[in-house]
Amino acid sequence: MAEVKHLTDNNFKAEVLETQGPVLVDFWAPWCGPCRMMAPVIDAIATRFEGRLKVCKLNTDENPQTAAQFGILSIPTLIIFKEGKEQERLVGYLPESDLAARLTSLLD
């Protein structure tokens, strides 16, 4: 299984904004039901796109500065970054097939 990197306010810039390739960030919180439903989807996406996409998670409760910086109002929110810039934002639960299709169109 591919690694899902856990982000903090302190490492977000280095791990996401300064990364050249595409990065998927899952903004979540432990109390959020749809976020817990997304967890296995995120793990599967990390494995499916290993080597093509960096997959990360940011706990919005523990890292409010970054969540506020990106205007995260609802969770789960998935943001796809490329060359440090936001490419697409998806809010709410998404099945793996839908998320994979969106990622494939952005990566190809």
Side-chain angles (χ1 to χ4, degrees), residues 3 5-6 8 12 19 21 23 29-32 43 46 51 63-67 86-87 89 93:
E3 179 194 7
K5 177 92 178 153
H6 290 271
T8 65
F12 189 88
T19 294
V23 182
W31 51 263
C32 163
D43 290 341
N63 302 283
Q65 184 181 344
T66 302
E86 182 176 330
Q87 298 296 305
R89 181 179 295 227
Y93 174 81

Side-chain angles (χ1 to χ4, degrees), residues 2-85:
E3 179 194 7
V4 175
K5 177 92 178 153
H6 290 271
L7 302 174
T8 65
D9 285 340
N10 294 329
N11 72 2
F12 189 88
K13 182 178 178 193
E15 294 289 344
V16 178
L17 302 181
E18 295 174 353
T19 294
Q20 289 305 304
V23 182
L24 172 67
V25 180
D26 174 18
F27 291 85
W28 72 287
W31 51 263
C32 163
C35 297
R36 288 197 303 272
M37 289 170 51
M38 276 305 298
V41 172
I42 296 299
D43 290 341
I45 289 293
T47 299
R48 189 169 177 171
F49 288 89
E50 189 169 16
R52 296 175 59 204
L53 175 71
K54 182 176 187 177
V55 179
C56 306
K57 293 177 74 98
L58 181 109
N59 182 327
T60 57
D61 285 351
E62 295 174 357
N63 302 283
Q65 184 181 344
T66 302
Q69 178 185 348
F70 288 94
I72 305 301
L73 302 175
S74 299
I75 51 175
T77 292
L78 305 176
I79 300 181
I80 301 149
F81 293 88
K82 208 168 185 181
E83 314 305 327
K85 293 182 177 44

